[in-house]
Amino acid sequence: MTGLVLDDVAIGLDGRPLVGPLSMEVAPGEVVTVMGPSGSGKSTLLAYVGGFLPKAFVARGRVLVDGVEIGALPPEKRAVGILFQDDLLFPHLTVGGNLAFGLRGSVRPAARRRAIVEEALAQANLAGFADRDPATLSGGQRARVALMRTLLAEPRALLLDEPFGKLDAALRQDVRAFVFARARDRGLPTLLVTHDAEDARAAGGRVIEVGGGPPRS
């Protein structure tokens, strides 16, 4: 495993440069933070890596995961997980159903899927929550369910698009620690974008600043 590589990535809109050119390597288990003010192109960068950049943008540069170039692949084929500010749990599914959604279809039978979901909930300190309605969860519990659902899809890289921004200060600290610990335990190269210096400090890795000129680290 060689991690996540961005090679000479540059993104523009309406003839105006937004991001880059930017090159970086994110090793397995490493968290790299991209910081910058609103409108500096941080989320746009993640959209390019994840494969859901709107067609209005013009982009160039290679994205590789474990040595495989993924730029021409659709999002569902890139094996890249992403967490947003909103947890995006499905309200019509139970907590367990939300986690099972992340599992590959080849994971059979139903009893094995249920066992994997139960183990994931135990790891998130949510044992016994499988049949709960997501609406009954706290913000921190919902954030943990969203992360475990992402991890059950077995991504090879993780993107974090300001996922702690809507949490209060005390909860944010706990959820940050949970997310970063799981990413490192699983050896996932992780790219975090944020405008919050506390997020960057908690990540504990390299920080690349964007906006107001060429990227700098």
Side-chain angles (χ1 to χ4, degrees):
M1 296 177 65
T2 57
L4 172 66
V5 175
L6 276 60
D7 179 23
D8 198 33
V9 170
I11 306 171
L13 178 65
D14 296 330
R16 179 172 61 93
L18 286 178
V19 178
L22 177 63
S23 296
M24 71 170 79
E25 296 183 12
V26 187
E30 181 183 14
V31 181
V32 172
T33 301
V34 176
M35 285 194 66
S38 296
S40 59
K42 304 184 304 298
S43 294
T44 302
L45 175 64
L46 292 196
Y48 181 62
V49 175
F52 50 92
L53 185 69
K55 294 185 182 299
F57 292 88
V58 176
R60 72 156 201 261
R62 299 192 307 155
V63 179
L64 299 94
V65 177
D66 294 337
V68 177
E69 189 168 357
I70 64 172
L73 300 177
E76 66 274 14
K77 298 292 186 181
R78 295 192 177 203
V80 174
I82 185 166
L83 290 180
F84 298 97
Q85 276 195 18
D86 295 316
D87 52 64
L88 302 181
L89 298 183
F90 300 118
H92 63 288
L93 297 178
T94 63
V95 170
N98 269 278
L99 288 180
F101 184 86
L103 291 170
R104 296 176 185 271
S106 59
V107 178
R108 299 290 183 198
R112 173 164 169 73
R113 295 176 69 86
R114 178 77 180 197
I116 293 173
V117 166
E118 294 286 1
E119 173 60 23
L121 287 171
Q123 291 177 17
N125 295 319
L126 295 172
F129 278 57
D131 296 323
R132 289 272 295 269
D133 185 330
T136 67
L137 303 184
S138 69
Q141 290 169 337
R142 292 177 66 91
R144 282 181 275 157
V145 171
L147 174 67
M148 298 312 292
R149 181 179 64 184
T150 298
L151 296 182
L152 287 181
E154 300 180 16
R156 292 182 294 157
L158 182 62
L159 308 178
L160 304 176
D161 192 354
E162 304 205 45
F164 319 117
K166 291 190 175 180
L167 302 174
D168 62 56
L171 190 56
R172 188 180 304 133
Q173 182 176 352
D174 291 341
V175 174
R176 272 192 306 232
F178 180 81
V179 170
F180 295 148
R182 293 304 178 283
R184 292 188 174 105
D185 288 347
R186 295 179 181 238
L188 293 176
T190 301
L191 192 59
L192 165 70
V193 302
T194 184
H195 63 271
D196 188 337
E198 287 297 325
D199 287 348
R201 279 191 283 271
R206 288 178 290 146
V207 176
I208 295 173
E209 297 183 27
V210 296
R216 56 191 186 278
S217 57

